[in-house]
Amino acid sequence: MTDLGIRYDEGGGVYPNLFDACPPFQIDGNFGVTAAIGEMLLQSHAGEIELLPALPAVWAEGTVKGLRARGAVEVDLTWKAGRLVSVGFRSELGEPFRVRYQGKTVELKPKKGKHITLGADLEAR
C-alpha cells in the first residue's frame, strides 16, 4: 500500500474508506465527504442539473441511485469508460428543469412522480 503521509496516531486525515480520522470522532467530516462525492456526480442549481461534472478517472464505471437534485428530483446515473450511459429522473413536484452533460442541454417537463430515462445523448429512451 502506498504511504500517503497521513499520521492517524497524531490526529487528522482520512481512512481508506473515506471516513475522517479526527480524534475525537467528528461526524461532520463523514457527512462532508459524502456531500463532496455527490457534488462530483451531480450538481444542481438555478433549475439546471449537471451530470458527472467532476468524475474522477479512477471511477471509470459505476452506478448510483437516488441522488437528490434541487426541486425534489431523484436521479439515477450509470456510466462506463468515464462517460454517461443512462440517467433516470423522477420528479416529486413535476416542475420543469434543464439537464446538462458535456455541453449539451435539454429541457425536461416531467409529470409528477413519473420516471424519465435518457441516454448518453440526453435523448429519451
Side-chain angles (χ1 to χ4, degrees):
M1 186 164 121
T2 305
D3 180 8
L4 301 176
I6 299 170
R7 294 290 312 261
Y8 303 114
D9 59 336
E10 293 179 10
V14 178
Y15 292 115
N17 66 3
L18 297 180
F19 282 171
D20 69 336
C22 299
F25 178 77
Q26 292 179 275
I27 196 66
D28 59 339
N30 295 330
F31 289 155
V33 76
T34 57
I37 290 169
E39 289 288 323
M40 292 165 64
L41 301 175
L42 171 110
Q43 292 181 3
S44 69
H45 50 85
E48 184 171 283
I49 298 172
E50 184 175 2
L51 306 174
L52 304 176
L55 185 67
V58 296
W59 295 356
E61 66 179 63
T63 298
V64 64
K65 295 183 179 205
L67 286 178
R68 301 292 290 193
R70 286 181 174 86
V73 178
E74 186 175 302
V75 182
D76 301 334
L77 291 164
T78 300
W79 66 93
K80 288 191 183 206
R83 306 201 38 97
L84 182 69
V85 172
S86 67
V87 58
F89 301 97
R90 189 180 63 77
S91 172
E92 291 181 15
L93 302 176
E95 298 291 326
F97 58 90
R98 291 180 309 280
V99 177
R100 183 166 30 129
Y101 176 65
Q102 294 193 335
K104 182 174 182 179
T105 304
V106 297
E107 175 124 2
L108 297 180
K109 296 178 182 172
K111 294 189 191 270
K112 184 177 178 178
K114 298 294 181 184
H115 196 267
I116 297 171
T117 302
L118 304 178
D121 56 0
L122 300 185
E123 298 293 327
R125 287 179 140 190

